[in-house]
Amino acid sequence: MVGFSLGSTLVKRADSPPVMLAFWRMVTTSIVWNALLITTGRRPSWTSIRRGVVPGILFGLNLTAFFVGATNNSIANAELIGALAPFLIVPIGAKLFGEGINRRALLFALPALGGVTLVLFSAPPTGDSSWKGNIFSVAAMLLWACYVAATRHFRGPLDVIEFMASILPVATLTVLPFALLNGFSNVSWHGWKYILLLTFVTGLFAHGLIVFAQRTIGIGTIGVAQVAQPALAAFWSFLILGEPLHRLQLVGMGLVLTGLLAFITATQRANRHALLPAEPTSIAETSVALDDR
């Protein structure tokens, strides 16, 4: 999440057409992951590529929407909208993969939604917020939730390197039509520096760790880990871009973070209780439990 939080600032700092940034970031990241796969003595197989079709399409669409949203919005707005993804990912994880969910915890969505509303409508007039940026940021958030679920469903036995090497060529082809419609405009050398930074910070480091983490933790936990991302992103945007923050936006961010932290606490507490062994209800059951121990 530290890597992802830096991504939106790097995209904006690149000062290049967002669709072209997304396309060339896909190309360079695809080359890096497939080079890593070749160093292990393997090649992409049709089986692994078939597994990567749906996640790859969603990945490509997500990255394109995110880059367009980040370049037409303030970092605070873009990241706060993205922080709502857990409220989709956690129910998806419960429904499709049997992950634990505390329905009462979903009530904490209300202060978080109120906080996002406050952030969106109290942006400084000199900021870069726009409804175009907001709409694309919402689309990126929805596509991210779908991508995380699809990754969990389709990955199967593939390891991190093989899976990422399989989905990225598909994602690149997904973004290609948008690049062609954009006129395949040139990217400056300044933009290329940030494409390379994005390749390693988000394409290799952050996305690789997300796929790796799915072996040992639920996608709901991965989703709610985004609670730290908006605050970190706002820090990077203030430090690197000098973006202003209105006091009411800080209050809204506080509401979002508080609501999401309460959501995490309630959900994790419910999961711990679900994992505890049931107490024996009779002398016979007690005796069996002791024998088992």
Side-chain angles (χ1 to χ4, degrees), residues 57-156:
I57 291 172
L58 292 170
F59 187 22
L61 294 175
N62 162 256
L63 195 74
T64 303
F66 176 75
F67 279 19
V68 174
T71 53
N72 289 276
N73 212 343
S74 68
I75 299 301
N77 277 22
E79 292 290 347
L80 260 294
I81 292 171
L84 294 176
F87 294 114
L88 293 175
I89 295 175
V90 172
I92 289 173
K95 181 70 175 178
L96 298 182
F97 309 113
E99 296 177 4
I101 182 173
N102 183 352
R103 296 184 185 277
R104 292 182 180 179
L106 294 177
L107 293 175
F108 293 114
L110 296 178
L113 288 170
V116 169
T117 302
L118 194 59
V119 170
L120 294 180
F121 286 96
S122 61
T126 56
D128 297 325
S129 302
S130 69
W131 283 109
K132 177 183 178 181
N134 290 337
I135 290 169
F136 274 96
S137 295
V138 169
M141 182 268 292
L142 295 173
L143 288 164
W144 172 255
C146 294
Y147 163 72
V148 172
T151 299
R152 175 68 179 271
H153 178 73
F154 288 100
R155 178 183 173 184

Side-chain angles (χ1 to χ4, degrees), residues 276-289:
L276 291 175
E279 292 293 330
T281 57
S282 66
I283 295 176
E285 288 179 0
T286 303
S287 176
V288 171

